[in-house]
Amino acid sequence: DVKVTQSSRYLVKRTGEKVFLECVQDMDHENMFWYRQDPGLGLRLIYFSYDVKMKEKGDIPEGYSVSREKKERFSLILESASTNQTSMYLCASSFSGPGSPLHFGNGTRLTVT
Amino acid sequence: EDQVTQSPEALRLQEGESSSLNCSYTVSGLRGLFWYRQDPGKGPEFLFTLYSAGEEKEKERLKATLTKKESFLHITAPKPEDSATYLCAVLSTSGTYKYIFGTGTRLKVLA
């Protein structure tokens, strides 16, 4: 079974703090993704990476950056957390073959106060 | 513009009462349509991939079907443990990595 592991289930941070969300997958997937999920808005893509050190912006990249130094690890960074970044953050991975499904981690519930 | 719409938003069933969830999509070209189950506070769990009209996939009480405009997730004789939010997503040919998600159907199965 594919395993996508997010380092924290719950996180509480203060406004202005720098926040790191870590994600590791064990299936040698080429692609990795960060989404946020909010009630009524569904899943929105923040960033994705199709190879080590490669990244592309998704639909809502403002206020976020990412890092992929190793194939299995993809980090999401909130440079200066704000209250509107309170959300559920989901990491996913997939093979690069056409039509491959996403496999998700269990999410990190981030609260910024 | 690529789009996915799921209906109904919420559905309550009695245990054993079969029903279907709908996922309508508009894409320039379909690479794949995906169904996920999501329990509260957890990440989506992959269920099925469908690639072309006429295709069907089954897993326990769930059966997914695909036409050129929509997909159905049929739930036969559901049990309370089938209660969850079911998400549909499509991957279109217009973007290699752009998965488009619906907002889901919240299913509650009553004992």
Side-chain angles (χ1 to χ4, degrees), chain A residues 9 37 48 59 99-100 102 105, chain B residues 36 38 41 43 51 97-99:
Chain A
R9 291 296 307 276
Q37 185 175 32
F48 69 91
D59 299 317
S100 296
L102 295 172
Chain B
Y36 292 86
Q38 186 173 24
Y51 292 108
Y97 305 112
K98 189 78 182 283
Y99 295 78

Side-chain angles (χ1 to χ4, degrees), chain B residues 23-106:
Chain B
C23 172
S24 298
Y25 63 92
T26 306
V27 292
S28 49
L30 185 68
R31 285 189 192 273
L33 185 141
F34 312 94
W35 281 99
Y36 292 86
R37 170 194 170 122
Q38 186 173 24
D39 292 302
K42 294 193 173 182
E45 174 191 350
F46 170 67
L47 293 173
F48 303 112
T49 305
L50 300 167
Y51 292 108
S52 57
E55 191 174 358
E56 298 182 353
K57 293 271 180 76
E58 281 189 73
K59 180 180 180 179
E60 297 179 359
R61 295 177 292 282
L62 300 177
K63 179 179 177 180
T65 61
L66 181 65
T67 72
K68 288 187 178 179
K69 293 184 179 180
E70 58 192 349
S71 176
F72 292 94
L73 185 65
H74 306 278
I75 304 177
T76 301
K79 298 182 177 181
E81 53 262 42
D82 294 322
S83 298
T85 296
Y86 291 85
L87 297 171
C88 169
V90 298
L91 183 61
S92 81
T93 55
S94 63
T96 308
Y97 305 112
K98 189 78 182 283
Y99 295 78
I100 301 161
F101 283 83
T103 52
T105 294
R106 293 190 313 277

Side-chain angles (χ1 to χ4, degrees), chain A:
Chain A
D1 273 358
V2 177
K3 187 109 173 145
V4 179
T5 303
Q6 294 184 232
S7 54
S8 305
R9 291 296 307 276
Y10 300 95
L11 215 49
V12 180
K13 296 292 181 181
R14 294 202 179 275
T15 302
E17 278 193 79
K18 190 168 185 175
V19 181
F20 293 86
L21 303 183
E22 307 285 343
C23 175
V24 177
Q25 51 96 1
D26 67 355
M27 280 301 293
D28 204 33
H29 284 168
E30 293 86 0
N31 306 324
M32 296 189 75
F33 304 76
W34 277 107
Y35 289 86
R36 63 177 283 177
Q37 185 175 32
D38 300 287
L41 297 177
L43 278 87
R44 293 180 290 166
L45 180 64
I46 305 171
Y47 267 98
F48 69 91
S49 169
Y50 51 90
D51 201 352
V52 175
K53 296 191 186 293
M54 306 303 289
K55 61 186 179 185
E56 289 209 18
K57 294 179 180 179
D59 299 317
I60 50 164
E62 297 79 17
Y64 303 95
S65 62
V66 289
S67 172
R68 193 167 181 202
E69 297 295 320
K70 293 186 178 181
K71 189 175 185 180
E72 68 271 18
R73 189 177 297 269
F74 193 34
S75 302
L76 180 69
I77 303 149
L78 286 66
E79 297 290 342
S80 177
S82 63
T83 54
N84 63 12
Q85 292 178 312
T86 292
S87 186
M88 170 71 110
Y89 289 88
L90 292 164
C91 175
S93 68
S94 73
F95 283 118
S96 60
S100 296
L102 295 172
H103 296 272
F104 286 88
N106 263 334
T108 296
R109 171 74 64 184
L110 173 67
T111 302
V112 182
T113 62

